[in-house]
Amino acid sequence: MAIASNTALCVSAIMFSLSAAAGCGGDAEMAAFGEVGEALSASSHPGNPNPGLVVNPGARGALYSKLAARWWQWIYSIERTRNPLFDATGEHALEGQTRPVYFLAGVICIIQPDGSCDPVEEEVVRRIQIPPGVRLFFPIVNTEIDDFNLPAFLPEQCRELYDPETSTITDKPACATTITDQFSFASATIDGVEIAGLNPPGDSIYRVQSGEFSYTVPDDNIFDVFGVEADAMTVGPAITEGIYLLLNPLPPGEHTVHFEGASEELGFSLSITYIIEVARGR
């Protein structure tokens, strides 16, 4: 499936998604994410175009890759009726979140057999409240590739990589790259401050591809959006590629995180806004 999002795209499946530091979480919280704590020291690295705001992926690219896989595992694990991808207000944005990193979702864009992308929504504004010391990780534009329900959801872009005998995409990383190459625009602002290094998307330092991973869906899962009935199951191997950002903790108070993504070839343009209240205290 192939899925894209601004933060999510879908194929076999492919799915797209178009999704000053305060104190951090405790040592135990950091240990849960392993490389997160190690990578934070790189946030002020000379090669970071957004020091203080965004953790630099260049010094520790594996961090973003692992978080990108976890982002999909998180979004797939949530029931369709409570899934943040279909949340118009922010009511379900905190489903399944754990410190020290919270995930933000965009909206889902379903890749059609002809290679075009049909967004469920084009613009959303969500209001959420988060505890202090939390880092935010989200895709601006991304795609996820796996072999579920092929060839029904096989995108035109990856037909040469499909093996009908095994009903698999033989080179998932290449398929993900082909889709991601078609993203034409990505932008993000934090309280009106533009994040540098996002465009052109093909050359962005925040473009990452994950290693192989698997994900588990519940009985009430998001495959229903694609007209597919599926019970709870685990799917893999899967690959994701896209433009992702890991933000340093925002100080207490209200903040606005806005991101946009587009693809002229896929025919979509999406806009996501989070109005975030960071609580005071721990």
Side-chain angles (χ1 to χ4, degrees):
M1 172 177 269
I3 297 177
S5 78
N6 169 322
T7 78
L9 247 217
C10 252
V11 164
S12 64
I14 295 172
M15 188 183 254
F16 291 137
S17 71
L18 293 171
S19 83
C24 342
D27 291 342
E29 292 172 338
M30 284 302 172
F33 272 80
E35 295 178 357
V36 172
E38 185 176 345
L40 293 178
S41 62
S43 63
S44 59
H45 187 276
N48 186 357
N50 303 283
L53 282 177
V54 181
V55 175
N56 183 10
R60 197 68 177 174
L63 170 68
Y64 270 47
S65 297
K66 290 182 177 181
L67 285 175
R70 292 191 187 192
W71 186 92
W72 281 104
Q73 291 168 333
W74 166 72
I75 207 69
Y76 272 126
S77 71
I78 302 171
E79 296 178 347
R80 163 68 178 88
T81 51
R82 300 181 294 109
N83 197 287
L85 284 173
F86 311 102
D87 179 9
T89 64
E91 177 184 5
H92 301 301
L94 301 185
E95 292 284 346
Q97 304 282 13
T98 57
R99 297 178 68 171
V101 176
Y102 277 18
F103 296 130
L104 300 183
V107 296
I108 195 169
C109 183
I110 305 169
I111 298 181
Q112 305 300 315
D114 66 359
S116 64
C117 190
D118 183 19
V120 174
E121 298 284 348
E122 293 187 352
E123 183 173 358
V124 294
V125 177
R126 297 169 178 147
R127 290 181 175 271
I128 64 173
Q129 184 179 68
I130 63 174
V134 166
R135 291 175 173 83
L136 299 173
F137 182 80
F138 57 94
I140 298 177
V141 284
N142 65 341
T143 187
E144 181 270 323
I145 311 294
D146 61 64
D147 294 318
F148 175 68
N149 206 41
L150 289 176
F153 289 118
L154 182 68
E156 179 66 31
Q157 295 92 332
C158 299
R159 290 193 181 279
E160 293 184 359
L161 302 173
Y162 176 66
D163 181 355
E165 293 187 4
T166 60
S167 192
T168 61
I169 296 174
T170 57
D171 191 339
K172 294 177 182 64
C175 180
T177 295
T178 298
I179 298 293
T180 306
D181 283 344
Q182 294 186 332
F183 296 138
S184 56
F185 177 75
S187 72
T189 59
I190 313 300
D191 293 331
V193 177
E194 185 173 357
I195 300 300
L198 294 174
N199 283 296
D203 298 328
S204 174
I205 67 168
Y206 300 107
R207 177 174 176 169
V208 297
Q209 183 179 97
S210 73
E212 290 187 350
F213 64 94
S214 61
Y215 61 84
T216 300
V217 298
D219 286 326
D220 175 23
N221 55 68
I222 65 175
F223 292 147
D224 177 64
V225 177
F226 315 128
V228 176
E229 294 185 7
D231 296 329
M233 63 177 175
T234 297
V235 177
I239 289 286
T240 180
E241 185 171 345
I243 312 297
Y244 289 87
L245 291 177
L246 175 60
L247 304 186
N248 277 308
L250 297 168
E254 185 175 282
H255 303 275
T256 300
V257 175
H258 177 76
F259 47 100
E260 299 181 6
S263 170
E264 295 178 2
E265 293 188 62
L266 294 169
F268 75 86
S269 176
L270 303 172
S271 173
I272 312 297
T273 301
Y274 278 87
I275 300 173
I276 302 170
E277 180 69 26
V278 180
R280 298 183 183 278
R282 292 189 64 82

